Amino acid sequence: MARYTVFVHVMPRRGVLDPPGEAARAALSALGFEEVREVRIGRRIAVEVEAADPSQAEARVRQMAERLLANPVIEEFELAAGGSPERANGSAGR
Amino acid sequence: MSAAVVGVVTFPGTNCDRDVVHAINRAAGDRAGLRAVPVWYEEADLSGIDAVVLPGGFSYGDYLRSGAIAALAPVMQAVAGRARQGMPVLGICNGFQILLEAGLLPGAMRRNRTLSFICRAVPVRVESVETPFTRAYRKGQVLRLPIAHYEGNYFAWPEELGAIEAADEAAPGRVVLRYCGPDGQDARIFPEYNPNGAAGAIAALANPAGNVVGVMPHPERASEEWLGSTDGLGVWLSLGQWLAERRAAAGLPAGRGGAP
């Protein structure tokens, strides 16, 4: 078993008013960025799992997102592979 | 003759549990015919309990989302099972959020439209007296109850909202309390009276069977004169009446309180 990090990007679903996003949109507009039509603010969750391979890691984290990490009523999510934590640390240098 | 037993659940982070126990046992007292007992979140057996209150507070620190982790606590399996059998369940504030996350009520809570924590008394109108928690009120009665929340902006998709609002002679609708103006003005028409932006200005909501109710305002904080309002007392008196009638219908001795 290897360790994998899978990122879950949770976002408010389109059509659901996102008050923090709306506040940010209004502030951007006040700064002169009048082309901004919508801002949605979500969150990013890093899940480190043990799995046989990357696809199994992703499948398990997808189940986690569906059952707990996102609220399907008002949120949607996407997964992104984060590589192994060791490699992530190694590539963090400047 | 014994009083009906109300289990008041404590999750890690809950902070209104003792207030609810006090409101039931001391403020409402013998008039309600209820006895409140604390229930720990690890409890999986609710035998001997006639009704459950999920009180307000920040269960599990509101980490991830308000109520999301508490909805998975062992006690919620038992609460869901008994709720399906018709046991009255009241979720107050964070308890409302837990009921949503547990799927016992439809919809979800967003941050308040104002992006601020709101802590003040607001007027709400009684829309349904057909629940175990509101039968002692009059339909259309305006109550003053305190709210204290950051995420009370109720959301449901239009189809679900339509089902919630649908009311006819047979079914009174599932909106239990609605935010309103001081004279009962409908906050759907006057949004300045909708403190958090909730869809349909919904302040309290019932499931289709009516026995599970989520309420954002805190009735326990309006159960004694010195708190500034006794408008919340009716919640406990309602529950006492309802349980006493159920006992009578089942041929069991009534609780001490019963009908007023």
Side-chain angles (χ1 to χ4, degrees):
Chain A
M1 299 287 255
R3 286 202 294 177
Y4 299 93
T5 299
V6 180
F7 291 107
V8 185
H9 297 262
V10 182
M11 295 295 292
R13 278 170 67 172
R14 289 199 179 276
V16 177
L17 173 71
D18 169 26
E22 178 55 24
R25 188 205 58 77
L28 287 170
S29 176
L31 279 174
F33 296 106
E34 282 153 11
E35 70 271 34
V36 177
R37 289 290 157 264
E38 187 181 9
V39 177
R40 291 179 302 142
I41 298 181
R43 63 184 178 279
R44 181 172 182 246
I45 302 168
V47 184
E48 192 180 315
V49 288
E50 287 199 337
D53 56 57
S55 69
Q56 192 203 38
E58 188 173 313
R60 292 289 285 172
V61 174
R62 181 176 301 278
Q63 291 174 357
M64 297 173 202
E66 285 165 353
R67 291 187 56 186
L68 176 67
L69 301 178
N71 180 339
V73 177
I74 52 172
E75 294 171 335
E76 58 195 10
F77 68 87
E78 287 177 5
L79 303 183
S84 72
E86 290 80 10
R87 204 167 62 219
N89 289 341
S91 65
R94 285 163 211 154
Chain B
M1 297 227 223
S2 59
V5 179
V6 183
V8 180
V9 179
T10 303
F11 298 94
T14 299
N15 62 20
C16 299
D17 41 348
R18 292 187 192 185
D19 305 47
V20 172
V21 170
H22 174 88
I24 292 174
N25 288 344
R26 304 296 296 279
D30 287 346
R31 279 177 295 167
L34 301 173
R35 181 167 62 89
V37 299
V39 172
W40 195 234
Y41 71 103
E42 289 175 309
E43 187 60 66
D45 178 11
L46 293 176
S47 50
I49 302 248
D50 300 302
V52 160
V53 177
L54 306 177
F58 297 82
S59 59
Y60 294 86
D62 272 356
Y63 290 146
L64 193 59
R65 291 182 309 276
S66 305
I69 298 178
L72 303 174
V75 73
M76 287 307 295
Q77 289 282 336
V79 169
R82 293 288 302 278
R84 278 192 287 273
Q85 294 164 10
M87 181 181 73
V89 177
L90 179 69
I92 302 169
C93 198
N94 191 233
F96 190 174
Q97 294 161 343
I98 294 169
L99 290 174
L100 295 170
E101 286 286 344
L104 290 169
L105 291 173
M109 288 293 177
R110 297 167 296 189
R111 304 247 179 101
N112 295 341
R113 185 183 45 191
T114 54
L115 284 181
S116 56
F117 188 95
I118 308 170
C119 184
R120 61 184 161 90
V122 298
V124 291
R125 203 173 63 194
V126 178
E127 301 285 272
S128 170
V129 293
E130 306 291 324
T131 83
F133 305 100
T134 50
R135 56 180 306 154
Y137 294 109
R138 291 187 321 278
K139 188 170 160 65
Q141 190 175 348
V142 176
L143 314 176
R144 270 186 76 77
L145 296 176
I147 55 173
H149 58 247
Y150 187 48
E151 293 193 8
N153 184 350
Y154 180 75
F155 176 85
W157 290 94
E159 190 177 309
E160 188 75 60
L161 202 58
I164 289 165
E165 293 277 4
D168 56 38
E169 287 299 315
R174 290 155 55 193
V175 180
V176 179
L177 298 176
R178 207 186 296 274
Y179 298 112
C180 68
D183 300 315
Q185 299 94 326
D186 195 323
R188 289 171 298 179
I189 300 165
F190 301 97
E192 63 269 32
Y193 296 128
N194 185 344
N196 48 36
I202 290 172
L205 171 70
N207 67 344
N211 64 305
V212 177
V213 173
V215 56
M216 275 328 276
H218 288 263
E220 79 279 12
R221 296 186 191 175
S223 291
E224 285 167 284
E225 216 45 84
W226 65 274
L227 289 171
S229 169
T230 57
D231 287 355
L233 257 185
V235 169
W236 323 118
L237 300 178
S238 297
L239 180 59
Q241 281 180 24
W242 193 90
L243 289 170
E245 282 174 27
R246 286 296 153 121
R247 285 174 158 215
L252 297 168
R256 276 180 297 171

